[in-house]
Amino acid sequence: MRYFILTIFCWISLISCNAQIKENNNPTVNIELGDSFKNADSLILFRFNAKNPCSQSKAVSIIKGNEISECFDYVRTIRGSEVKNIINVLYDLDTYGGEEVACFDTDYSLIAVENNVIIGFVNISFSCNKLTSTPLIKEQDKHINQSFRKIGFS
């Protein structure tokens, strides 16, 4: 019964990004990346899980090829005003400007969805004080000059 409920829960969450489950249980997703994900209508939050069988190192990305990486566990789907609040923080110049650490270990990831299509994703490393995104969040670059890279969280 528990697996049935989990299967239904996963199925409902994956519908939001047009995913199809392949034989290896990695969802293949419809991805149409643009220049920004400011127009996302939902964000899907995932957490890295070192206990999952994973073909990537800790510095993983939520999207591997056209699949959601098996290294992550679904946490929740974010909708409504929370989406805009999170996107505003991600694109706020004041979010960045702190010291970066010479590492990157993905702790959490967000997938940005607009009209049931993935338009971007963010890999967040709280332990290394920075993030990577596709498409690139250009506000991080505002804190780079000739000798300093201040792209860490401020």
Side-chain angles (χ1 to χ4, degrees):
M1 183 65 162
R2 190 166 100 187
Y3 290 111
F4 175 76
I5 292 171
L6 180 62
T7 302
I8 296 298
F9 180 75
C10 289
W11 182 75
I12 290 170
S13 69
L14 291 174
I15 284 178
S16 67
C17 61
N18 284 341
Q20 298 174 344
I21 304 298
K22 293 172 60 176
E23 285 180 14
N24 64 0
N25 292 328
N26 294 353
T28 301
V29 293
N30 182 12
I31 302 175
E32 295 178 17
L33 300 174
D35 347 347
S36 140
F37 44 85
K38 291 182 180 179
N39 294 326
D41 50 46
S42 64
L43 297 171
I44 305 170
L45 178 63
F46 289 86
R47 176 180 44 241
F48 178 81
N49 184 346
K51 294 179 182 177
N52 288 352
C54 181
S55 61
Q56 300 179 61
S57 68
K58 176 75 168 121
V60 298
S61 177
I62 185 65
I63 302 293
K64 180 182 169 195
N66 275 0
E67 296 179 345
I68 295 176
S69 171
E70 70 276 8
C71 306
F72 291 85
D73 290 333
Y74 170 84
V75 176
R76 70 180 275 237
T77 299
I78 303 163
R79 292 187 170 82
S81 62
E82 285 184 291
V83 172
K84 295 303 172 200
N85 291 341
I86 292 169
I87 289 174
N88 286 342
V89 169
L90 289 172
Y91 281 91
D92 186 346
L93 187 61
D94 292 333
T95 298
Y96 310 98
E99 295 293 328
E100 69 172 320
V101 180
C103 67
F104 194 88
D105 296 326
T106 304
D107 298 306
Y108 287 89
S109 292
L110 288 167
I111 294 179
V113 178
E114 181 182 11
N115 298 322
N116 296 328
V117 175
I118 293 176
I119 60 170
F121 54 94
V122 180
N123 297 301
I124 303 166
S125 175
F126 289 118
S127 55
C128 298
N129 199 36
K130 58 186 169 187
L131 59 82
T132 62
S133 67
T134 303
L136 179 68
I137 297 174
K138 294 178 176 82
E139 283 70 8
Q140 291 180 311
D141 293 343
K142 304 289 185 203
H143 294 284
I144 297 175
N145 64 29
Q146 294 170 342
S147 57
F148 296 111
R149 283 180 43 95
K150 295 242 183 187
I151 61 170
F153 303 131
S154 58

